[in-house]
Amino acid sequence: MTDSPLVLIVEDLDFWQDALSEVLIDAGYRVCCAASHTEALHALAQDTPRLAIIDPVLDDANRRNRDGLRVLQHILAECLHIRSMVVTSSEPHRIRLEVANISPDVPLLWKDEWDDDRFLAVVGDLLSAKRI
């Protein structure tokens, strides 16, 4: 189904890559995954996703890692046609501030409060919104 939107998942943990992919594929989206900043930039250069779902911390052993936020900054600066959202379980207050400093319009969902229906509603809203 090549007419369905392609979604890039930028997530270092296999469990979350698989969980997000399954929900999106079941909803009719196409999915590609990247586990690092380098892989994400490569995927962005190779494919044309309409949405990027980004975990800001792409190194589970180093909670200060912000490679996902670097991907978000790249998309906002260089890939204006791609919508973005952040999905994380890391440091809620700090991540909320860091994302808001990059762009207050980027939706943020918490893995600890996961709800597939809410996730799909945000995805649908982002993909249906018109760019100004």
Side-chain angles (χ1 to χ4, degrees), residues 39-66:
E39 287 180 17
L41 294 184
H42 180 75
L44 290 166
Q46 297 299 312
D47 297 315
T48 54
R50 296 221 6 245
L51 174 65
I53 298 169
I54 304 167
D55 182 349
V57 178
L58 296 178
D59 181 351
D60 202 41
N62 176 6
R63 304 312 288 170
R64 294 180 187 262
N65 174 292
R66 295 297 187 265

Side-chain angles (χ1 to χ4, degrees), residues 64-82:
R64 294 180 187 262
N65 174 292
R66 295 297 187 265
D67 283 351
L69 292 181
R70 289 176 48 217
V71 173
L72 176 61
Q73 289 171 319
H74 173 83
I75 289 170
L76 293 172
E78 304 291 331
C79 308
L80 302 178
H81 61 284
I82 299 174

Side-chain angles (χ1 to χ4, degrees), residues 113-127:
E113 302 168 359
W114 195 254
D115 179 289
D116 287 349
D117 293 331
R118 173 147 168 63
F119 169 66
L120 287 173
V122 173
V123 167
D125 288 347
L126 286 169
L127 290 172

Side-chain angles (χ1 to χ4, degrees), residues 51-57 66 69 72 84-114 118-119 122-123 126:
L51 174 65
I53 298 169
I54 304 167
D55 182 349
V57 178
R66 295 297 187 265
L69 292 181
L72 176 61
S84 301
M85 67 184 291
V86 170
V87 173
T88 190
S89 62
S90 300
E91 307 176 80
H93 301 294
R94 178 173 285 165
I95 292 295
R96 185 182 314 275
L97 287 173
E98 290 179 40
V99 171
N101 284 334
I102 294 169
S103 174
D105 298 328
V106 173
L108 191 122
L109 295 180
W110 303 104
K111 293 175 182 174
D112 299 340
E113 302 168 359
W114 195 254
R118 173 147 168 63
F119 169 66
V122 173
V123 167
L126 286 169

